[in-house]
Amino acid sequence: MILNEYQAQVEHLLSDSRRVIFPATSIFFAIKGHRKNGHDFLNELYQKGVRCFVVEEDIETPLFPGSSVIRTPNVLSALHDLTAWHRSRFDIPVIGITGSNGKTVVKEWLNQLLEKNFAIARSPRSYNSQIGVPLSVWQLNEHHQLGIFEAGISLPDEMQNLAVIIHPTIGIFTNLGEAHDEGFRNPAHKADEKIKLFQSVRTLIYSKEHPEVEAAVTRRKMADGTWNPEFFTWGYSAECRLQLISINSSESNTCIEALYEGRKIEISIPFSDKASIENIVHCWCVMLLMNISDEEIADRMIQLGRIAMRLEMKKGINNCTIINDSYSADLSSLRIALDLLSHQHQHKKKTVILSDILQTGRNPEKLYGEVANALAAKKINQLYAVGPLLEKHRYLFEKIDGLTIQNFADTESFKAQFGDLSFNNEAVLLKGARQFSFEQISQLLEQKIHQTIMEVNLTALVHNLKEYQRLLKPSTALMAMVKAFSYGSGSFEVAGKLQYHNVDYLTVAYTDEGVELRKGGIRIPVMVMNPEPSSFEQLLQYDLEPDIFSFDMLDELENFYRRHGETSVPVHIELETGMNRLGFNLADVEKLALRLKQSGIFRVKSVFSHLAASEDAQHDSYSLTQYRLLVEACRKMEEILGYSFLRHISNTGAIVRHPDMQLDMVRIGIGLYGIDSAATGMLNLQPVNTLKTTIAQLKHLKEGDTVSYGRRGVITRNTTIATVRIGYADGFPRSLGNGIGKMWVNGRLAAVVGSVCMDMTMLDVTDIPDIKVGDDVIVFGKELPVEQVAAWAGTIPYEILTGISQRVKRVYFEE
């Protein structure tokens, strides 16, 4: 049903109000999620210039004059139908990829291997969901000769929709692993759901080395007698179309020999890990299927580069922030990277270093016109354009107000002039096609850092946030705790990501933490838990909301704000219900409410308390008592104040264990970083932080030798000692010395030998093969959970994370 009709040419699909670049030619699909409803953002998008909308709720069309509004029973289904129709317009080969692991790598390697033969449309990054697939397929245009799209599912009955949208002619089933097991009855059920992507393929590629995939193929053939694609199988069996003969790996290269159509063929690849080998053989099958010569295949395989599966954000020279996405340049991924760049509010100046965009098959003038429009929409200040095509189309960028452009023939020219360029207090995005080798530019721009670093996975952070959000009622607000440098992870970098994903409040311990967030571009409300009188001026200047927990503080704040002529100051009231740390006594609640009402200065935004033991079942009755005390106290305060406010007591543990205590808002802290003992078996949390260092030196000691201060490390056999670049000044606890603590080296645990030093720690690596100076060492992370390190140290993960020194550089990335 068309509610408003407005003639417009639609070129871009929108499902996220934050990612508007081309409003005049975009259509917004108001998708309803568990916590966010796209209909709530219609007015915001209209103000940004969007004029085409697809909705499923009643809306007041007079509020959107000059727009086209289409009403449908289900917005997501409408998005699927539109993109399925769009796909049906193209009679070209389309490769559809699914599986538990390797989808994105196979897609990107196929693009590298086939870009000389075809103009390719492919999924940007890992856009493989119910929304990501339609957005990917919409990219198809008359210039493309091949499509490569990946599809992922987490629940039954999702793949049918994606199969119709992608409609692949060639299928690749990579493998079947444990990802998303919780959404299916068993692995066989998951395999049967995934194979639905291939219902119309002409050729299906898979490995007979994965019996669970082979079994799914067999079940599919038995269930549907009409399903009989060509099977391009590979493995060691003589039944395989590509029969492997041998795989010989050295430290960094692998030679693979196989039989194909009666002849012996081989490739060499610059990787030796099992996953890469498997992914490349899938690609090999595609190239053979497309009749690419053995010589060309061999030549391209040896030149393959690793796929950058993450977009890194690092500290740069002269107080710059560097966003390194320097391994690919295409319009889709450029838009994603520009979106991240635009949210670096800590810097006013935004700079892009961009290479030519190659092998698109598109009209160059139109392509670079879209690039120019994207830069203009994101208000980019400086463009360093590398490559002859950007030079040729410079005139398109010269039209952009506020943009300064400088051209370079190639990367070497940029490097030669680097000393004359000024990079200072700005956010810089590097976006380059592989052959431009922008990693050389990245090395010039990045701050030279201590080889001990804390990697912060912002993708995992957002994943964990969503895991908790799905437990909340749609009406429950969310307050994220970012005190103590966001539990050691960084301040505005983490806060900015949480703001982008619409948390309602942030909380810090001290005012200076809140000031840093405001300077970093954080605009959402920030509560300060321990405001000191010396910081009241900053509370006012930076629009920070104090937590009041005593009458003395109330008096001081009231006098301060009265002197400044302030009224209706937002404040938060902390009540003591049993934590016995900070807070007004419950006996004083009525007195407190009357004081607040009579002052005329304050507006209470929330009233809260702290659960003392929400994660511990033996204290559930105590937690329930605390909850009831807060609810009753809030009832009295609302009655006296004459207005309502947010009530909150649930912390990370309570979100999982006490869903009936959500009230109006919950507070999430350590759970964001993947640590919550209460969530075990209930939430699929991912570790966010990885603390890494490197081996500085190897020593070979004999029985009787001693290691470190006090000669506490006594050698009892011939031993190889690795000295690694981390010590107690970096936050590695001294208590982990003398065999108590361990680190992860080359896939094994290595015990600490002797005392932990200020800047160095020694490890016993005698039984670890192939070890060398410079190897990475994991102090904690996915391989070695921080909870285990904390247990060895006799403490809690909070202390380990918050104890990591500021001299340890943080590297932020998105996958």
Side-chain angles (χ1 to χ4, degrees):
M1 179 188 300
I2 299 178
L3 303 180
N4 273 15
E5 189 166 0
Y6 161 72
Q7 297 298 318
Q9 181 177 350
V10 172
E11 296 181 6
H12 306 282
L13 307 185
L14 273 178
S15 63
D16 189 331
S17 62
R18 299 163 297 188
R19 294 188 169 177
V20 180
I21 295 181
F22 307 108
T25 55
S26 295
I27 183 168
F28 176 68
F29 288 79
I31 296 170
K32 296 171 71 172
H34 173 62
R35 286 185 52 80
K36 297 298 178 182
N37 184 341
H39 298 78
D40 296 336
F41 302 95
L42 296 178
N43 185 63
E44 174 190 333
L45 286 158
Y46 184 82
Q47 297 303 318
K48 290 180 177 178
V50 178
R51 292 294 180 267
C52 296
F53 305 92
V54 180
V55 302
E56 61 188 67
E57 294 182 356
D58 289 325
I59 67 168
E60 297 183 48
T61 53
L63 297 177
F64 306 97
S67 64
S68 182
V69 181
I70 302 171
R71 185 175 174 187
T72 179
N74 186 294
V75 170
L76 183 58
S77 294
L79 175 64
H80 289 172
D81 291 343
L82 174 62
T83 48
W85 167 81
H86 180 70
R87 163 68 182 94
S88 71
R89 298 167 59 221
F90 301 94
D91 185 20
I92 61 173
V94 170
I95 301 172
I97 308 170
T98 196
S100 296
N101 300 295
K103 297 185 294 294
T104 303
V105 173
V106 169
K107 178 198 69 190
E108 293 298 322
W109 270 338
L110 281 174
N111 181 70
Q112 289 185 24
L113 293 164
L114 298 174
E115 62 185 1
K116 291 183 179 179
N117 301 82
F118 303 95
I120 301 172
R122 71 189 194 279
S123 307
R125 297 198 174 271
S126 55
Y127 272 38
N128 59 33
S129 66
Q130 298 290 301
I131 296 175
V133 167
L135 297 181
S136 300
V137 170
W138 184 256
Q139 299 175 94
L140 277 172
N141 62 51
E142 64 276 11
H143 302 292
H144 291 124
Q145 300 165 309
L146 174 67
I148 310 176
F149 304 109
E150 57 177 296
I153 57 173
S154 55
L155 294 170
D157 302 320
E158 289 185 332
M159 189 60 89
Q160 295 96 310
N161 299 327
L162 305 186
V164 174
I165 297 167
I166 297 175
H167 194 68
T169 57
I170 300 170
I172 302 175
F173 199 144
T174 59
N175 52 50
L176 195 73
E178 297 178 356
H180 301 297
D181 271 357
E182 67 278 5
F184 303 92
R185 294 192 302 271
N186 51 48
H189 180 213
K190 182 169 66 173
D192 291 343
E193 290 293 319
K194 285 181 178 292
I195 208 168
K196 291 177 181 178
L197 175 63
F198 310 122
Q199 60 193 26
S200 61
V201 297
R202 298 170 194 160
T203 305
L204 177 60
I205 296 169
Y206 69 93
S207 171
K208 280 183 173 285
E209 300 303 305
H210 289 290
E212 64 278 8
V213 176
E214 173 84 350
V217 170
T218 302
R219 288 192 298 270
R220 177 74 182 183
K221 286 193 291 186
M222 294 177 64
D224 183 355
T226 65
W227 187 70
N228 190 31
E230 174 190 17
F231 296 109
F232 196 124
T233 59
W234 65 268
Y236 287 98
S237 166
E239 300 175 359
C240 295
R241 188 164 172 183
L242 180 68
Q243 181 187 358
L244 300 182
I245 299 173
S246 65
I247 298 177
N248 297 305
S249 296
S250 62
E251 186 174 309
S252 58
N253 287 345
T254 298
C255 179
I256 308 174
E257 292 184 327
L259 283 176
Y260 178 67
E261 295 185 343
R263 69 181 189 273
K264 186 176 179 181
I265 57 176
E266 68 177 54
I267 57 171
S268 292
I269 58 174
F271 312 105
S272 57
D273 59 289
K274 182 179 178 181
S276 293
I277 293 169
E278 180 176 290
N279 291 333
I280 280 173
V281 176
H282 281 119
C283 297
W284 195 6
C285 293
V286 173
M287 299 183 79
L288 290 169
L289 181 67
M290 291 184 165
N291 296 314
I292 296 174
S293 71
D294 295 342
E295 293 75 17
E296 283 186 279
I297 292 174
D299 182 58
R300 295 180 196 178
M301 286 289 186
I302 195 63
Q303 296 181 56
L304 275 177
R306 285 213 176 269
I307 302 301
M309 297 296 288
R310 62 194 210 179
L311 190 155
E312 290 186 339
M313 186 164 61
K314 301 181 179 180
K315 295 291 185 186
I317 59 174
N318 304 326
N319 196 37
C320 290
T321 296
I322 309 302
I323 300 173
N324 187 359
D325 196 16
S326 60
Y327 296 95
S328 66
D330 58 81
L331 195 55
S332 298
S333 63
L334 174 62
R335 289 170 182 158
I336 296 169
L338 284 173
D339 191 60
L340 178 61
L341 177 66
S342 68
H343 289 90
Q344 302 312 305
H345 299 295
Q346 69 272 27
H347 302 291
K348 289 184 178 180
K349 184 178 179 181
K350 306 291 192 295
T351 296
V352 173
I353 305 174
L354 178 67
S355 80
D356 286 348
I357 298 176
L358 306 175
Q359 282 109 15
T360 66
R362 296 188 56 189
N363 177 285
E365 185 169 26
K366 182 165 183 175
L367 172 67
Y368 289 105
E370 288 195 40
V371 172
N373 289 337
L375 298 183
K378 292 302 183 181
K379 297 181 170 55
I380 303 304
N381 307 104
Q382 175 75 55
L383 171 64
Y384 295 109
V386 182
L389 291 175
L390 279 164
E391 170 70 39
K392 183 177 179 180
H393 295 89
R394 178 187 173 101
Y395 64 94
L396 295 170
F397 299 91
E398 290 175 335
K399 301 173 184 177
I400 302 173
D401 289 338
L403 178 69
T404 301
I405 179 170
Q406 190 167 344
N407 289 92
F408 302 88
D410 50 31
T411 302
E412 287 301 318
S413 299
F414 181 94
K415 290 168 56 183
Q417 297 181 52
F418 182 78
D420 299 324
L421 305 178
S422 176
F423 292 94
N424 189 24
N425 195 29
E426 57 198 279
V428 182
L429 168 65
L430 277 79
K431 198 80 179 73
R434 237 177 353 114
Q435 70 185 56
F436 283 87
S437 302
F438 268 20
E439 62 272 16
Q440 300 175 40
I441 297 177
S442 175
Q443 292 169 7
L444 295 174
L445 286 169
E446 290 172 11
Q447 190 180 73
K448 300 302 179 283
I449 60 175
H450 178 20
Q451 289 190 46
T452 298
I453 61 171
M454 172 90 91
E455 290 186 343
V456 182
N457 185 339
L458 297 177
T459 304
L461 179 90
V462 171
H463 167 85
N464 295 338
L465 172 67
K466 291 180 177 179
E467 283 289 287
Y468 284 98
Q469 283 180 324
R470 67 183 176 85
L471 301 181
L472 304 181
K473 301 169 189 173
S475 59
T476 304
L478 187 68
M479 173 180 277
M481 313 298 285
V482 292
K483 59 184 182 177
F485 199 52
S486 293
Y487 296 82
S489 298
S491 54
F492 57 75
E493 294 90 352
V494 168
K497 184 56 62 176
L498 296 173
Q499 174 178 264
Y500 183 79
H501 286 276
N502 299 310
V503 301
D504 301 280
Y505 258 95
L506 297 175
T507 297
V508 297
Y510 296 102
T511 305
D512 57 354
E513 294 177 309
V515 170
E516 183 176 359
L517 295 185
R518 288 287 186 248
K519 288 181 176 179
I522 302 302
R523 301 180 300 276
I524 60 176
V526 177
M527 181 176 82
V528 180
M529 299 189 73
N530 294 291
E532 299 170 324
S534 60
S535 71
F536 287 174
E537 288 281 355
Q538 290 181 310
L539 287 177
L540 180 58
Q541 180 182 353
Y542 291 96
D543 190 25
L544 303 171
E545 301 178 7
D547 162 20
I548 304 177
F549 49 78
S550 71
F551 283 107
D552 288 341
M553 176 182 287
L554 179 60
D555 291 339
E556 289 178 303
L557 278 167
E558 182 176 359
N559 291 334
F560 171 78
Y561 284 117
R562 196 179 298 282
R563 288 197 308 272
H564 286 77
E566 296 292 324
T567 58
S568 196
V569 174
V571 297
H572 302 261
I573 303 300
E574 185 172 356
L575 301 181
E576 178 56 76
T577 60
M579 179 78 162
N580 292 314
R581 186 174 61 181
L582 293 174
F584 288 96
N585 290 326
L586 296 179
D588 294 326
V589 161
E590 293 183 17
K591 174 185 172 185
L592 169 63
L594 287 170
R595 264 295 304 281
L596 291 166
K597 184 175 183 179
Q598 291 165 2
S599 77
I601 297 290
F602 302 112
R603 177 80 180 183
V604 176
K605 296 295 290 294
S606 82
V607 176
F608 69 101
S609 190
H610 292 276
L611 292 172
S614 65
E615 71 286 347
D616 196 335
Q618 68 176 325
H619 297 302
D620 281 353
S621 61
Y622 192 81
S623 296
L624 182 59
T625 298
Q626 286 191 270
Y627 166 77
R628 289 172 174 168
L629 288 172
L630 177 69
V631 169
E632 176 58 21
C634 288
R635 185 193 64 77
K636 291 179 182 178
M637 291 190 68
E638 285 188 343
E639 197 173 88
I640 294 171
L641 290 172
Y643 59 85
S644 60
F645 42 75
L646 295 170
R647 303 164 301 160
H648 50 110
I649 194 169
S650 285
N651 56 6
T652 296
I655 293 173
V656 176
R657 298 197 64 254
H658 301 288
D660 52 340
M661 295 185 187
Q662 288 183 18
L663 293 173
D664 306 302
M665 184 159 68
V666 297
R667 303 187 301 270
I668 184 169
I670 197 74
L672 281 172
Y673 308 95
I675 300 167
D676 182 1
S677 59
T680 302
M682 297 187 65
L683 296 180
N684 176 29
L685 299 181
Q686 298 176 359
V688 170
N689 304 96
T690 299
L691 182 60
K692 300 170 66 173
T693 188
T694 58
I695 295 175
Q697 189 176 30
L698 293 170
K699 289 182 180 294
H700 303 285
L701 306 181
K702 59 184 186 297
E703 182 179 352
D705 287 340
T706 60
V707 177
S708 196
Y709 291 111
R711 303 188 66 197
R712 293 183 179 89
V714 179
I715 300 302
T716 59
R717 60 170 181 161
N718 290 338
T719 300
T720 302
I721 295 292
T723 300
V724 299
R725 296 176 168 97
I726 190 170
Y728 58 77
D730 301 295
F732 188 70
R734 196 167 182 272
S735 60
L736 292 176
N738 303 303
I740 296 173
K742 298 176 179 64
M743 297 183 196
W744 190 262
V745 187
N746 286 1
R748 298 192 189 182
L749 288 174
V752 175
V753 179
S755 299
V756 175
C757 304
M758 182 181 291
D759 309 298
M760 296 286 175
T761 300
M762 281 62 75
L763 305 176
D764 182 347
V765 295
T766 308
D767 301 318
I768 301 177
D770 302 322
I771 201 158
K772 60 185 181 300
V773 170
D775 279 354
D776 282 342
V777 176
I778 305 298
V779 183
F780 59 74
K782 182 179 180 180
E783 301 86 349
L784 178 56
V786 68
E787 295 94 325
Q788 177 61 70
V789 177
W792 288 332
T795 184
I796 57 176
Y798 292 78
E799 185 175 347
I800 299 296
L801 288 175
T802 58
I804 303 304
S805 167
Q806 293 293 306
R807 82 175 186 177
V808 174
K809 302 301 180 183
R810 274 66 174 173
V811 174
Y812 304 88
F813 66 92
E814 294 192 40
E815 295 182 342

Short mmCIF file of all heavy atoms in Angstrom, two decimals, residues 3 72 106 109 127 156-157 195 411 467 492 547 608 623 646 650 687 707 719 763 806:
data_model
loop_
_atom_site.label_atom_id
_atom_site.label_comp_id
_atom_site.label_asym_id
_atom_site.label_seq_id
_atom_site.Cartn_x
_atom_site.Cartn_y
_atom_site.Cartn_z
N LEU A 3 1.24 4.97 0.82
CA LEU A 3 0.58 5.98 1.64
C LEU A 3 0.88 7.38 1.13
O LEU A 3 0.02 8.25 1.09
CB LEU A 3 1.02 5.84 3.10
CG LEU A 3 0.78 4.45 3.72
CD1 LEU A 3 1.26 4.46 5.16
CD2 LEU A 3 -0.69 4.07 3.66
N THR A 72 3.73 -2.16 4.24
CA THR A 72 3.73 -3.59 3.94
C THR A 72 3.53 -4.37 5.23
O THR A 72 3.83 -3.87 6.32
CB THR A 72 5.08 -3.98 3.28
OG1 THR A 72 5.09 -5.38 3.01
CG2 THR A 72 6.26 -3.65 4.19
N VAL A 106 37.30 -17.32 1.83
CA VAL A 106 37.12 -17.91 0.50
C VAL A 106 36.59 -16.86 -0.47
O VAL A 106 37.05 -16.74 -1.61
CB VAL A 106 36.17 -19.13 0.56
CG1 VAL A 106 35.77 -19.58 -0.84
CG2 VAL A 106 36.84 -20.27 1.30
N TRP A 109 39.45 -14.37 -1.24
CA TRP A 109 40.50 -14.97 -2.07
C TRP A 109 40.00 -15.21 -3.50
O TRP A 109 40.73 -15.02 -4.47
CB TRP A 109 40.99 -16.27 -1.44
CG TRP A 109 42.16 -16.02 -0.52
CD1 TRP A 109 42.99 -14.94 -0.53
CD2 TRP A 109 42.61 -16.86 0.54
NE1 TRP A 109 43.94 -15.06 0.46
CE2 TRP A 109 43.73 -16.23 1.13
CE3 TRP A 109 42.19 -18.07 1.05
CZ2 TRP A 109 44.42 -16.80 2.20
CZ3 TRP A 109 42.88 -18.63 2.11
CH2 TRP A 109 43.98 -18.00 2.68
N TYR A 127 29.05 -9.46 5.32
CA TYR A 127 27.62 -9.17 5.25
C TYR A 127 26.90 -10.45 4.82
O TYR A 127 26.66 -10.68 3.64
CB TYR A 127 27.36 -8.06 4.24
CG TYR A 127 27.44 -6.66 4.81
CD1 TYR A 127 28.37 -6.33 5.77
CD2 TYR A 127 26.56 -5.67 4.38
CE1 TYR A 127 28.46 -5.05 6.28
CE2 TYR A 127 26.63 -4.37 4.89
CZ TYR A 127 27.58 -4.08 5.83
OH TYR A 127 27.66 -2.80 6.34
N PRO A 156 17.07 -22.06 12.50
CA PRO A 156 16.39 -22.76 11.41
C PRO A 156 15.51 -21.81 10.60
O PRO A 156 15.09 -20.75 11.08
CB PRO A 156 15.55 -23.81 12.14
CG PRO A 156 16.18 -23.97 13.48
CD PRO A 156 16.75 -22.62 13.83
N ASP A 157 15.23 -22.21 9.37
CA ASP A 157 14.29 -21.52 8.47
C ASP A 157 14.78 -20.14 8.03
O ASP A 157 13.98 -19.35 7.52
CB ASP A 157 12.90 -21.38 9.13
CG ASP A 157 12.31 -22.73 9.51
OD1 ASP A 157 12.48 -23.68 8.72
OD2 ASP A 157 11.71 -22.85 10.59
N ILE A 195 22.51 -26.29 3.84
CA ILE A 195 22.56 -26.78 2.46
C ILE A 195 21.38 -26.28 1.63
O ILE A 195 21.38 -26.39 0.40
CB ILE A 195 22.67 -28.32 2.45
CG1 ILE A 195 23.39 -28.78 1.18
CG2 ILE A 195 21.28 -28.97 2.58
CD1 ILE A 195 23.80 -30.24 1.22
N THR A 411 52.28 4.90 -4.52
CA THR A 411 52.64 4.88 -3.10
C THR A 411 54.06 5.40 -2.88
O THR A 411 54.33 6.09 -1.88
CB THR A 411 52.51 3.44 -2.56
OG1 THR A 411 51.16 3.00 -2.75
CG2 THR A 411 52.84 3.38 -1.08
N GLU A 467 24.17 -9.63 23.29
CA GLU A 467 23.80 -10.82 24.05
C GLU A 467 23.01 -10.44 25.30
O GLU A 467 22.02 -11.09 25.64
CB GLU A 467 25.05 -11.61 24.44
CG GLU A 467 25.65 -12.42 23.32
CD GLU A 467 24.80 -13.61 22.95
OE1 GLU A 467 24.75 -14.59 23.72
OE2 GLU A 467 24.14 -13.56 21.88
N PHE A 492 37.28 6.78 25.36
CA PHE A 492 36.32 7.21 24.35
C PHE A 492 36.22 6.22 23.19
O PHE A 492 35.21 6.19 22.49
CB PHE A 492 36.63 8.61 23.84
CG PHE A 492 37.99 8.81 23.26
CD1 PHE A 492 38.33 8.32 22.02
CD2 PHE A 492 38.95 9.51 23.97
CE1 PHE A 492 39.60 8.51 21.49
CE2 PHE A 492 40.22 9.71 23.45
CZ PHE A 492 40.54 9.20 22.20
N ASP A 547 26.30 11.74 40.75
CA ASP A 547 25.64 10.80 41.67
C ASP A 547 25.76 11.42 43.07
O ASP A 547 26.87 11.70 43.55
CB ASP A 547 26.34 9.45 41.58
CG ASP A 547 26.06 8.53 42.77
OD1 ASP A 547 25.06 8.75 43.47
OD2 ASP A 547 26.86 7.59 42.99
N PHE A 608 19.02 4.69 42.50
CA PHE A 608 19.58 3.35 42.33
C PHE A 608 20.27 2.85 43.58
O PHE A 608 20.51 3.60 44.54
CB PHE A 608 20.56 3.32 41.16
CG PHE A 608 21.85 4.08 41.40
CD1 PHE A 608 23.01 3.41 41.74
CD2 PHE A 608 21.91 5.47 41.30
CE1 PHE A 608 24.20 4.08 41.96
CE2 PHE A 608 23.09 6.15 41.51
CZ PHE A 608 24.24 5.46 41.84
N SER A 623 19.65 -10.56 47.88
CA SER A 623 19.48 -9.72 46.69
C SER A 623 18.03 -9.30 46.54
O SER A 623 17.72 -8.14 46.21
CB SER A 623 19.93 -10.47 45.43
OG SER A 623 21.31 -10.75 45.47
N LEU A 646 14.07 7.11 36.59
CA LEU A 646 14.56 5.75 36.31
C LEU A 646 14.98 5.08 37.61
O LEU A 646 15.65 5.69 38.46
CB LEU A 646 15.75 5.80 35.35
CG LEU A 646 15.46 6.31 33.94
CD1 LEU A 646 16.79 6.53 33.19
CD2 LEU A 646 14.58 5.36 33.18
N SER A 650 19.96 -3.66 38.98
CA SER A 650 20.58 -4.83 38.34
C SER A 650 21.94 -4.49 37.75
O SER A 650 22.08 -3.53 36.99
CB SER A 650 19.68 -5.34 37.20
OG SER A 650 18.57 -6.02 37.73
N PRO A 687 35.57 -13.04 24.31
CA PRO A 687 36.60 -12.21 24.94
C PRO A 687 36.89 -10.98 24.09
O PRO A 687 36.99 -11.08 22.87
CB PRO A 687 37.81 -13.13 25.03
CG PRO A 687 37.57 -14.18 23.98
CD PRO A 687 36.08 -14.35 23.88
N VAL A 707 67.67 -17.95 37.66
CA VAL A 707 67.03 -16.95 36.82
C VAL A 707 66.41 -15.85 37.67
O VAL A 707 65.76 -16.13 38.68
CB VAL A 707 65.93 -17.61 35.94
CG1 VAL A 707 65.19 -16.55 35.11
CG2 VAL A 707 66.53 -18.68 35.05
N THR A 719 67.54 -26.22 29.97
CA THR A 719 66.30 -25.46 29.80
C THR A 719 66.51 -24.30 28.82
O THR A 719 67.55 -23.65 28.83
CB THR A 719 65.84 -24.89 31.16
OG1 THR A 719 65.60 -25.97 32.05
CG2 THR A 719 64.58 -24.05 31.02
N LEU A 763 60.24 -17.10 30.76
CA LEU A 763 59.38 -18.27 30.60
C LEU A 763 60.22 -19.49 30.26
O LEU A 763 61.23 -19.39 29.56
CB LEU A 763 58.37 -18.05 29.47
CG LEU A 763 57.46 -16.83 29.54
CD1 LEU A 763 56.61 -16.75 28.27
CD2 LEU A 763 56.57 -16.88 30.77
N GLN A 806 48.97 2.12 31.53
CA GLN A 806 48.68 3.00 30.40
C GLN A 806 49.83 3.02 29.39
O GLN A 806 49.63 3.43 28.25
CB GLN A 806 48.44 4.44 30.91
CG GLN A 806 47.19 4.58 31.74
CD GLN A 806 45.93 4.36 30.96
OE1 GLN A 806 45.72 4.99 29.94
NE2 GLN A 806 45.09 3.45 31.41
#
